[in-house]
Amino acid sequence: MAIRVTLDRILLERRMSLTDLSEKVGVTLANLSILKTGKAKAIRFSTLNALCRVLECQPGELLSFEPSDTDILEEADAD
C-alpha cells in the first residue's frame, strides 16, 4: 500500500507509549497497533483528529505517500 503510517516515529519523538496514547485518545490498543504496523485499511477522521490533538501534530506528520511498484505501473499504463 502506498500510504504509510509514521505513528511509531512520532511516538518515539514524543516519548509516549502506545498504551499511553490509547488511553488519551480513547482507541483500543489493538486498533492502534494495527494502525502503527501499517495493517489498517482505513482510518476515521475522528480518530485522526484525536491522534493529532493528543500528539500535537498535523495529519501529514502521521501519514505519508510512498508509491509502490503497482502504483507506478498503473500510472504508466494510464499514459
Side-chain angles (χ1 to χ4, degrees), residues 26-39:
V27 175
T28 66
L29 187 57
N31 283 340
L32 283 180
S33 181
I34 289 168
L35 184 63
K36 182 182 167 200
T37 59
K39 295 179 182 176

Side-chain angles (χ1 to χ4, degrees), residues 1 3 7 9 14-15 18 23 25 34 38-39 43-44 51 60 68:
M1 183 181 288
I3 302 297
L7 184 57
R9 179 183 54 82
R14 305 292 193 275
R15 295 186 175 111
L18 201 59
E23 292 169 1
V25 174
I34 289 168
K39 295 179 182 176
I43 183 170
R44 293 178 186 216
L51 289 170
S68 65

Side-chain angles (χ1 to χ4, degrees), residues 39-73:
K39 295 179 182 176
K41 300 292 182 192
I43 183 170
R44 293 178 186 216
F45 280 132
S46 59
T47 301
L48 186 57
N49 181 67
L51 289 170
C52 289
R53 178 179 41 78
V54 169
L55 296 170
E56 298 178 353
C57 67
Q58 295 295 314
E61 295 175 74
L62 287 170
L63 306 172
S64 67
F65 176 73
E66 298 174 14
S68 65
D69 292 339
T70 305
D71 294 319
I72 294 168
L73 290 174

Side-chain angles (χ1 to χ4, degrees), residues 4-16:
R4 301 282 184 240
V5 179
T6 57
L7 184 57
D8 53 347
R9 179 183 54 82
I10 292 176
L11 286 172
L12 186 63
E13 290 172 2
R14 305 292 193 275
R15 295 186 175 111
M16 184 182 294

